[in-house]
Amino acid sequence: MNAPKVATETSLHDQVCDEGFAFVHAPDMRALVEHLAPLSDWDAFTASWGALEPDTYLAATGRFRRRRHATFAASRFGPVEAQPHQAHFQTLAYNTLQGDIARWFEPILPEIAHGATMRAILDFCRDFFGGLSPDVPRWHVEVHQFRIEATAGAAGEPTPEGSHRDGVDYVLVLLVDRENIASGTTTIHAPDGRALGEFTLAQPMDAALIHDPRVFHGVTPVTPLDPDKASHRDVLVVTFRAVETG
């Protein structure tokens, strides 16, 4: 049996250019990120999902998840720099459930936002997405920590708005942890609804890289494997949007 091909930055660039997305298995993703810097605070990074706050905007629609949010700025070859805490905003064209609302979420804890793991992930995104769009001089970057919880009586909805685009240029979805969870399959669709691919983020550092203008993405609802035990799906979502220059 042939061993699976190792994903490289070049091969992943080709996939995103050709198909609008790429799925990356955890060992390859970890190698690509750790090539930039060691994930020396990985344990603290993953543990911080236990300190996420309820998404009160989503609770108003009868759904539930936990999250924190941070904003950064990046230049093509410069550092990724933290920005003052600000609202997350999407138009109704991209989020029919919660569009046209300035949503203020609790900030990502400073020690996590400025820690080694987050910095390495953001540097990877700057290099990878910047390589796909070398003419973009500056990026607006948003980072979201999400925890989706499920119970025997209520499935968790990682993407309650359904298959969607985020209204940005590029998206990284990175699995951090899943505990007692079934399903949660990431799906990719063409704008006309055709299924293009699916991949279940199952191991920490499994990832999806998405060219947002070209494809829609979503995640199937999650349910507990054992209804008597707690269950959650933890992901980090990073978005890059080109900053318009006058």
Side-chain angles (χ1 to χ4, degrees):
M1 181 180 296
N2 293 329
K5 292 183 179 179
V6 175
T8 65
E9 186 166 330
T10 299
S11 68
L12 293 172
H13 270 179
D14 290 344
Q15 287 184 51
V16 174
C17 288
D18 292 344
E19 303 175 38
F21 69 97
F23 296 126
V24 193
H25 289 284
D28 294 339
M29 189 67 193
R30 181 175 287 275
L32 289 166
V33 174
E34 287 190 320
H35 177 72
L36 299 172
L39 308 185
S40 56
D41 66 340
W42 175 258
D43 289 344
F45 178 77
T46 60
S48 71
W49 265 255
L52 302 191
E53 296 292 338
D55 180 342
T56 56
Y57 299 93
L58 194 61
T61 69
R63 297 172 171 89
F64 186 80
R65 68 182 168 198
R66 298 181 183 275
R67 70 191 293 175
R68 285 182 182 269
H69 171 252
T71 304
F72 297 82
S75 57
R76 179 68 179 90
F77 298 107
V80 182
E81 301 175 324
Q83 300 298 294
H85 189 52
Q86 55 195 266
H88 173 56
F89 183 84
Q90 293 173 295
T91 67
L92 277 171
Y94 290 103
N95 189 332
T96 57
L97 188 64
Q98 295 181 305
D100 289 351
I101 301 171
R103 290 180 284 166
W104 288 91
F105 300 110
E106 290 299 313
I108 293 177
L109 298 174
E111 61 270 26
I112 302 304
H114 301 290
T117 296
M118 185 72 80
R119 306 308 300 189
I121 292 169
L122 292 177
D123 284 350
F124 165 80
C125 289
R126 175 203 59 206
D127 293 350
F128 186 84
F129 297 143
L132 289 167
S133 295
D135 294 333
V136 174
R138 194 158 181 83
W139 299 97
H140 174 80
V141 182
E142 295 194 45
V143 180
H144 307 260
Q145 291 179 292
F146 287 106
R147 167 166 284 187
I148 305 301
E149 298 172 330
T151 64
E157 296 179 281
T159 53
E161 65 272 42
S163 185
H164 65 285
R165 291 182 295 168
D166 288 333
V168 296
D169 290 282
Y170 298 103
V171 182
L172 164 71
V173 182
L174 182 81
L175 184 73
V176 172
D177 185 41
R178 55 185 288 153
E179 178 69 29
N180 190 36
I181 283 290
S183 192
T185 297
T186 299
T187 60
I188 305 293
H189 294 86
D192 63 7
R194 288 180 297 112
L196 299 178
E198 62 177 41
F199 180 67
T200 300
L201 305 180
Q203 301 297 324
M205 294 292 286
D206 277 351
L209 297 161
I210 300 166
H211 187 199
D212 193 65
R214 287 179 58 190
V215 298
F216 285 66
H217 64 280
V219 183
T220 60
V222 297
T223 56
L225 291 168
D226 184 339
D228 296 324
K229 295 181 179 179
S231 62
H232 62 256
R233 179 182 185 269
D234 295 346
V235 298
L236 182 78
V237 175
V238 180
T239 64
F240 269 55
R241 176 173 54 81
V243 176
E244 295 183 5
T245 57

